[in-house]
Amino acid sequence: NPASHSRSPMIHNRIFFDSRACAAYSIVETDSFLDVAEAFARGDRFAPAGLSVTAPFKGEAFGFAVAIGARISKRATAARVVNTLVREQTPAGPVIIADNTDVEGFRVAFDDLGASVGSSAALVGAGGTARAALVAAREAGIRVTIFNRSEEHAKERAGEYGCEARALGELAGFEGDLIL
């Protein structure tokens, strides 16, 4: 937030058009995640059927998913952040699914870059997207060192994910395979 610069509507709406899906992707900028999320969860008449969540709301979206009893993917649970919420109608009633698709995005990138078990990566930052990168790196067997402006925050995140932490100023000395 703000997100008005995002190219997501252009990308997703083209996919919807090409696949003949009756859907539209639009941006809602808000200072309160719950302004949109509560209407979504209730299934209000003009509420979206799905949410693509970005900073700074990914952590709040995870807490929201937990609070409403959403079906949370293993990757979103491991990352403790959610970037995708979808309301599905089932014979038993509506179900909300919470996921973190960033994890899969990192996994695909690791494969495309030839990263393998034992590769080493520098992760710049320790926020919501960093959590997804850490989950993907753990799945791929990649050793990570977190570099962050706040070394304390980096150490906290590193403790959660079993990796190393350094001050951002030390990044120039990193010798490894990837910088994320």
Side-chain angles (χ1 to χ4, degrees):
N1 189 23
S4 61
H5 66 283
S6 174
R7 294 185 169 271
S8 290
M10 179 183 69
I11 295 165
H12 289 84
N13 285 324
R14 183 63 201 202
I15 293 167
F16 293 154
F17 178 81
D18 289 348
S19 64
R20 299 176 189 223
C22 184
Y25 188 108
S26 62
I27 292 174
V28 175
E29 287 188 353
T30 181
D31 292 327
S32 171
F33 173 72
L34 293 179
D35 283 349
V36 178
E38 288 177 339
F40 156 78
R42 288 190 306 265
D44 289 357
R45 184 170 182 203
F46 294 109
L51 298 175
S52 176
V53 182
T54 190
F57 301 121
K58 291 179 182 184
E60 191 173 349
F62 178 78
F64 177 77
V66 169
I68 64 168
R71 189 178 318 149
I72 304 171
S73 74
K74 290 180 183 179
R75 286 178 164 173
T77 300
R80 300 189 53 76
V81 289
V82 163
N83 73 347
T84 303
L85 290 162
V86 177
R87 188 180 58 253
E88 284 189 1
Q89 288 292 48
T90 70
V95 174
I96 295 179
I97 299 166
D99 199 2
N100 189 313
T101 60
D102 289 338
V103 176
E104 182 63 19
F106 279 108
R107 285 302 306 266
V108 169
F110 295 159
D111 290 345
D112 288 350
L113 294 169
S116 59
V117 173
S119 295
S120 60
L123 175 60
V124 180
T129 303
R131 287 177 171 275
L134 289 161
V135 170
R138 182 170 50 204
E139 288 179 5
I142 296 171
R143 294 184 326 267
V144 176
T145 302
I146 301 171
F147 294 85
N148 195 58
R149 286 177 295 196
S150 163
E151 191 173 1
E152 182 178 316
H153 193 80
K155 286 179 180 177
E156 177 183 321
R157 189 70 66 242
E160 290 178 52
Y161 290 91
C163 56
E164 293 185 47
R166 301 273 184 264
L168 185 57
E170 297 178 42
L171 180 60
F174 174 75
E175 292 186 21
D177 304 301
L178 300 168
I179 297 179
L180 311 169

